[in-house]
């Protein structure tokens, strides 16, 4: 186990190095230039452009630029080209905002998908299963942005609560219960919307996984032993059906960043996805590369958690 | 009569077709008796025993008629809860595939103890002691150490021994073994077969043993039922069936047994294959492969003919000869 963790960590660090090199190259090769050093930008004189180039080390060879960038990143000195703010601080602010959406959305997705999928599998072909199937395909096929506007209109006109942004504009410093209620109202729609697609897909996947396991020989063995039906489903079948989801569970971490650009944009939620998107448009490379690096780290941490969890839950995997 | 199946009909409904897997099957097992059910792959052996325990997948399967009498009570009339009290406690079952029949995520101990704990109120320590004793009974060396193993840590033969231990956990009145050695290699097969014989001598239980190997039948059975395409073709005491087979199918099966063929003669095999239960031939289901077929065989479903002493055969043609 310990040797597995050690080996795995070393592998992941190597992978991370390659990711950092490749993403740096991709950014370098991408067309367009930051507006500050674009010779066609009428706001800057050639002297200013030259100063920027020197300040950003753009006049140096590529590997020196690479070393400067990641050196700055690890010492926390990287600043945004747009407003000269420290990147890590900006990212951290946005990260905290995204975390709200991510946690509530993920909780909704995972707590709802499993009961729905399992019930569908146990009563397959029945009324419940068929309606669940209908609604999942409905939710999968309605575009998210359209559904978002329908929900916004519904909630705002019937309940008269503000739902855009993270808190009501000009809320000031209200008592804590008002603050919580305000936060809940603002979180509700975006996290629900973020979760619907996930619920529709994940519950289908749970259903098929559960059905597959239900037809296995060992489930028949359990029945033949006289194990009550409930226990056959929830002990013998479910334990096996859950195994593949352990892998998925680790892979949801990166969703923290990329998962919600559209929803964050619709609801004007100041999250990471939106920041990254805007940074790409503005060619604010320090932010793009930092977010990229963090998401690579999240992917690797996620797969690492998966691997370890898998070893814990599946006795056949021992390293 | 301990277990008696009467005129059981089970059909499968899938893809708009009806597969008549069991077409009126009757067989019985008396107290303490070993009964073998033989027949080629697909003739309905497994379906018939799954129906006894009512663990047939329904749908696509459906029980169309007949009775399953267990000590005089028709199991098909019981509700699910009453049935659970019989499964594993009074009728236990061992399956064909030891590799997949044990749950991969639970230990051997968990799975055997569960078989005890679902039926009996005993504390965990007693359950563990019984579990160790059972593993000893089925010939697993150093059982205390095996308790915490997972199925994948055992060989196929050991897994089948664990399955047998699980089946014996509550001292059932009858054990149904569905081709318990088919998936194992030959030396292990012989060991498991010996284990069955040993257990039979030590315990008061009936054994319904399914196989497609007549050699096994000669080894352990008191009586034998030969099944073909969802019906019983011939039945009787082992000596009768082996020395005076009265059905062309049984005769064909016996002729294809390697140790009965004189050296130098080629091994006989029955031409053709078992009919697909969705497209069974009219009349006698065996007629497309039968060497003794006559005109009426193609239109008339044959009746059972009684040779006395419990020896019955579903072939009027040979009976009248
Ligand atoms: N789940 C099912 N769905 C559809 N048809 C089935 C199903 N299970 C069994 N059958 C049909 O019932 C017939 C009998 O199957 P069964 O498993 O009882 O054969 P068997 O005698 O046990 O053969 P084997 O020696 O291969 O185990 C098969 O030919 C198949 O067509
Ligand atoms: S009834 Fe006819 S076809 Fe059937 S086994 Fe006898 S001789 Fe053969
Ligand atoms: Mg079978």
């Amino acid at each position: 186990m310990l040797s597995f963790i050690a080996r795995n960590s070393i592998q992941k660090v190597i992978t991370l190095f390659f990711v950092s090199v490749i993403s740096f190259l991709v950014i370098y090769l991408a067309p367009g230039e930051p507006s500050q050093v674009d010779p066609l930008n009428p706001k800057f004189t050639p002297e200013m452009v030259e100063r920027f180039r020197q300040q950003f080390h753009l006049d140096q060879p590529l590997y020196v630029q690479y070393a400067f960038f990641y050196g700055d990143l690890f010492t926390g000195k990287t600043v945004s080209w747009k407003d000269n703010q420290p990147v890590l601080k900006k990212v951290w602010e946005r990260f905290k905002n995204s975390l709200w959406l991510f946690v509530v959305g993920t909780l909704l997705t995972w707590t709802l998908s499993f009961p729905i999928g399992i019930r569908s599998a146990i009563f397959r072909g029945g009324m419940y299963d068929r309606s669940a199937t209908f609604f999942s395909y409905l939710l999968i096929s309605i575009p998210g942005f359209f559904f978002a506007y329908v929900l916004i209109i519904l909630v705002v006109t019937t309940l008269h609560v503000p739902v855009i942004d993270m808190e009501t504009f000009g809320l000031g410093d209200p008592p804590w219960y008002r603050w919580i209620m305000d936060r809940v109202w603002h979180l509700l729609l975006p996290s629900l919307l973020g979760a619907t697609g996930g619920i529709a897909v994940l519950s289908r996947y749970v259903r098929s996984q559960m059905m597959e396991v239900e037809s296995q020989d060992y489930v028949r063995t359990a029945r033949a032993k006289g194990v009550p039906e409930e226990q056959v489903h929830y002990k013998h079948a479910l334990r096996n059906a859950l195994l593949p989801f352990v892998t998925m569970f680790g892979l949801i971490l990166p969703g923290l960043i990329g998962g919600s650009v559209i929803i964050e944009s619709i609801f004007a939620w100041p999250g990471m996805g939106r920041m990254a998107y805007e940074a790409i448009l503005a060619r604010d490379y320090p932010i793009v590369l930092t977010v990229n690096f963090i998401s690579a780290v999240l992917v690797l941490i996620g797969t690492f958690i998966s691997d370890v969890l898998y070893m814990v839950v599946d006795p056949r995997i021992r390293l | 009569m301990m277990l008696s199946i009467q005129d059981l009909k089970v059909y499968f409904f899938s893809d708009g077709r009806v597969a008549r897997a069991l077409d009126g099957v009757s067989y019985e097992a008396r107290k303490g008796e070993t009964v073998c059910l033989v027949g080629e792959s697909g003739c309905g052996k497994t379906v018939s025993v799954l129906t006894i325990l009512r663990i047939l997948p329904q749908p696509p399967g459906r029980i169309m008629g007949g009775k399953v009498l267990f000590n005089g009570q028709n199991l098909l009339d019981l509700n699910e809860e009453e049935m659970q009290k019989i499964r594993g406690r009074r009728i236990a079952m061992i399956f064909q595939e030891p590799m997949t029949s044990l749950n991969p995520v639970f230990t051997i101990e968990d799975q055997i103890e569960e078989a005890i704990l679902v039926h009996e109120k005993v504390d965990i320590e007693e359950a563990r002691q019984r579990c160790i004793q059972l593993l000893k009974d089925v010939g697993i060396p150093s059982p205390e150490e095996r308790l915490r193993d997972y199925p994948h840590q055992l060989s196929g033969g050991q897994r089948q021994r664990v399955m047998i231990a699980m089946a014996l956990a509550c001292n059932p009145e009858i054990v149904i073994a569905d081709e318990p050695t088919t998936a194992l290699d030959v030396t292990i097969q012989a060991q498991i077969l010996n284990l069955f014989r040993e257990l039979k001598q030590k315990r008061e239980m009936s054994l319904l043993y399914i196989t497609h190997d007549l050699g096994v039948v000669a080894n352990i059975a008191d009586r034998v039922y030969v099944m073909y395409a969802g019906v019983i073709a011939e039945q009787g005491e082992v000596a009768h069936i082996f020395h005076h087979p009265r059905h062309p199918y049984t005769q064909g099966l016996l002729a294809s047994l390697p140790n009965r063929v004189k050296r130098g003669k080629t091994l006989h095999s029955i031409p053709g294959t078992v009919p697909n239960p969705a497209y069974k031939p009219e009349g006698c289901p065996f007629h497309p492969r039968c060497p003794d077929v006559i005109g009426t065989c193609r239109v008339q479903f044959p009746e059972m003919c009684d040779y006395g002493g419990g020896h019955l055969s579903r072939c009027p043609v040979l009976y009248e000869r």
Side-chain angles (χ1 to χ4, degrees):
Chain A
M1 184 82 172
L2 276 178
S3 87
F4 163 78
I5 291 178
R7 246 184 309 139
N8 202 303
S9 314
I10 294 172
Q11 273 172 11
K12 300 242 139 106
V13 170
I14 296 173
T15 315
L16 201 57
F17 170 73
F18 282 109
V19 170
S20 71
V21 171
I22 291 171
S23 46
F24 199 80
L25 282 179
V26 168
I27 293 282
Y28 178 79
L29 291 173
E33 283 194 88
S35 56
Q36 296 92 329
V37 296
D38 191 340
L40 301 177
N41 191 329
K43 274 203 292 188
F44 297 104
T45 61
E47 296 78 50
M48 288 169 82
V49 168
E50 201 44 45
R51 221 178 54 230
F52 269 120
R53 287 179 69 87
Q54 266 167 23
Q55 190 188 341
F56 297 162
H57 312 295
L58 291 178
D59 49 350
Q60 310 264 358
L62 200 56
Y63 64 90
V64 179
Q65 289 185 32
Y66 173 87
F68 267 119
F69 174 75
Y70 284 100
D72 283 353
L73 180 62
F74 286 121
T75 49
K77 282 193 298 205
T78 330
V79 290
S80 161
W81 286 353
K82 210 168 105 194
D83 52 14
N84 251 339
Q85 295 291 308
V87 168
L88 287 183
K89 186 164 154 276
K90 279 181 82 161
V91 169
W92 175 242
E93 286 302 314
R94 294 300 191 107
F95 181 83
K96 281 191 293 188
N97 296 345
S98 279
L99 203 61
W100 283 96
L101 268 190
F102 173 75
V103 168
V104 177
T106 308
L107 277 181
L108 280 175
T109 310
W110 286 69
T111 49
L112 291 178
S113 303
F114 278 87
I116 294 174
I118 292 167
R119 232 184 111 87
S120 282
I122 292 176
F123 301 105
R124 56 181 153 281
M127 216 21 227
Y128 179 86
D129 182 28
R130 273 182 286 163
S131 1
T133 307
F134 175 76
F135 280 110
S136 5
Y137 284 119
L138 192 73
L139 288 178
I140 292 173
S141 31
I142 295 182
F145 66 89
F146 175 76
F147 197 39
Y149 285 120
V150 172
L151 278 189
I152 291 175
I153 291 168
L154 261 177
V155 169
V156 172
T157 54
T158 59
L159 299 173
H160 303 288
V161 285
V163 293
I164 302 296
D165 201 342
M166 232 169 70
E167 50 188 36
T168 308
F169 182 72
L171 186 66
D173 213 358
W176 60 270
Y177 55 88
R178 283 263 327 268
W179 184 84
I180 288 184
M181 274 321 291
D182 190 64
R183 186 51 66 93
V184 166
W185 278 118
H186 282 89
L187 262 174
L188 186 70
L189 282 194
S191 53
L192 197 66
L193 273 164
T196 44
I199 295 172
V201 175
L202 193 61
S203 66
R204 292 276 88 195
Y205 191 39
V206 170
R207 174 182 182 270
S208 74
Q209 197 56 40
M210 188 73 182
M211 270 173 45
E212 149 117 28
V213 168
E214 290 266 344
S215 67
Q216 295 293 314
D217 286 350
Y218 50 77
V219 171
R220 188 174 66 177
T221 307
R223 283 211 175 86
K225 280 200 280 193
V227 174
E229 214 40 27
E230 295 276 296
Q231 209 172 323
V232 170
H233 293 310
Y234 293 105
K235 182 176 166 192
H236 288 269
L238 189 56
R239 257 305 288 276
N240 284 280
L242 287 181
L243 295 183
F245 295 100
V246 169
T247 325
M248 276 180 71
F249 198 75
L251 294 178
I252 58 176
L253 264 189
L256 243 173
I257 293 184
S260 48
V261 179
I262 295 176
I263 286 177
E264 283 178 3
S265 303
I266 292 175
F267 288 92
W269 190 274
M272 281 248 273
R274 231 176 94 211
M275 178 181 67
Y277 177 66
E278 285 161 6
I280 291 173
L281 291 186
R283 303 226 156 60
D284 192 350
Y285 292 161
I287 293 211
V288 177
L289 280 170
T290 305
V291 170
N292 195 309
F293 189 77
I294 292 176
S295 65
V297 171
L298 289 178
V299 170
L300 295 178
I301 292 178
T303 49
F304 179 74
I305 294 176
S306 289
D307 291 348
V308 172
L309 276 182
Y310 219 107
M311 275 203 314
V312 174
V313 296
D314 191 340
R316 284 164 294 189
I317 297 178
R318 286 277 178 272
L319 297 145
Chain B
M1 201 61 58
M2 160 131 294
L3 178 70
S4 164
I5 291 185
Q6 295 177 358
D7 200 26
L8 199 61
K9 291 196 173 76
V10 174
Y11 296 178
F12 285 94
F13 295 82
S14 50
D15 306 331
R17 273 185 282 123
V18 185
R20 303 199 314 257
L22 297 187
D23 235 350
V25 166
S26 307
Y27 57 74
E28 55 196 38
R30 301 171 193 140
K31 205 164 168 12
E33 190 183 39
T34 301
V35 174
C36 270
L37 197 55
V38 276
E40 281 163 288
S41 194
C43 70
K45 306 181 296 289
T46 300
V47 169
S48 76
V49 292
L50 293 182
T51 312
I52 296 175
L53 277 190
R54 299 246 314 268
I55 52 175
L56 183 78
Q58 287 174 294
R62 202 191 302 167
I63 300 169
M64 306 300 290
K67 286 181 186 163
V68 176
L69 296 180
F70 179 59
N71 293 320
Q73 185 175 37
N74 187 358
L75 297 186
L76 300 184
D77 293 338
L78 297 186
N79 63 28
E80 178 57 27
E81 209 173 309
E82 294 165 322
M83 212 45 227
Q84 272 165 20
K85 296 204 178 100
I86 290 182
R87 290 184 197 130
R89 188 161 73 102
R90 304 182 65 192
I91 306 177
M93 193 146 169
I94 297 157
F95 295 97
Q96 185 164 353
E97 274 296 335
M99 304 316 262
T100 54
S101 293
L102 289 167
N103 196 324
V105 301
F106 295 110
T107 60
I108 302 306
E109 177 178 5
D110 283 340
Q111 301 191 49
I112 299 181
E113 279 174 9
E114 183 182 43
I116 301 171
L117 294 173
V118 288
H119 295 299
E120 295 175 32
K121 287 213 182 333
V122 297
D123 62 56
I124 192 80
E125 194 41 45
E126 188 185 339
R128 170 170 301 134
Q129 289 314 320
R130 270 172 68 179
C131 182
I132 294 173
Q133 186 57 45
L134 284 162
L135 289 176
K136 261 190 206 133
D137 290 350
V138 297
I140 296 228
S142 48
E144 289 88 352
E145 288 152 38
R146 294 282 81 80
L147 285 181
R148 317 214 49 184
D149 280 358
Y150 287 91
H152 72 276
Q153 291 166 290
L154 305 180
S155 68
Q158 282 183 319
R159 286 190 217 185
Q160 198 58 296
R161 286 175 197 268
V162 169
M163 285 295 291
I164 296 170
M166 218 156 75
L168 298 175
C170 294
N171 267 313
E173 293 154 59
I174 179 164
V175 170
I176 300 172
D178 185 3
E179 306 200 40
T181 64
T182 305
L184 306 171
D185 54 32
V186 185
T187 46
I188 312 289
Q189 283 190 9
Q191 288 173 11
I192 297 283
L193 202 61
N194 279 334
L195 173 63
F196 271 106
R197 290 221 304 242
E198 216 176 278
L199 291 170
K200 270 286 304 179
Q201 275 164 11
K202 286 198 202 135
R203 289 168 182 253
E204 277 278 307
M205 63 174 198
S206 313
L207 178 61
L208 174 57
Y209 193 102
I210 296 179
T211 174
H212 53 240
D213 182 352
L214 277 174
V216 171
V217 177
N219 229 315
I220 68 168
D222 299 316
R223 282 188 312 116
V224 55
Y225 291 84
V226 180
M227 221 172 140
Y228 187 82
V231 292
I232 299 293
E234 187 168 6
Q235 68 188 68
E237 310 224 333
V238 171
H240 287 162
I241 300 287
F242 272 73
H243 297 300
H244 308 288
R246 303 294 189 184
H247 193 283
Y249 179 59
T250 319
Q251 291 169 351
L253 284 180
L254 283 168
S256 55
L257 264 187
N259 54 0
R260 292 191 136 226
V261 180
K262 300 228 166 49
R263 278 205 320 161
K265 273 173 84 178
T266 48
L267 209 60
H268 175 87
S269 74
I270 309 172
T273 52
V274 188
N276 180 329
Y279 307 100
K280 268 196 228 177
E282 283 280 299
C284 174
F286 189 55
H287 85 245
R289 306 170 73 186
C290 183
D292 303 289
V293 59
I294 60 168
T296 50
C297 300
R298 297 199 171 87
V299 286
Q300 176 124 34
F301 184 76
E303 288 301 309
M304 272 294 195
C305 309
D306 195 344
Y307 287 88
H311 188 174
L312 303 173
S313 167
R314 199 178 285 284
C315 178
V317 177
L318 293 199
Y319 188 68
E320 274 149 31
R321 245 182 225 166

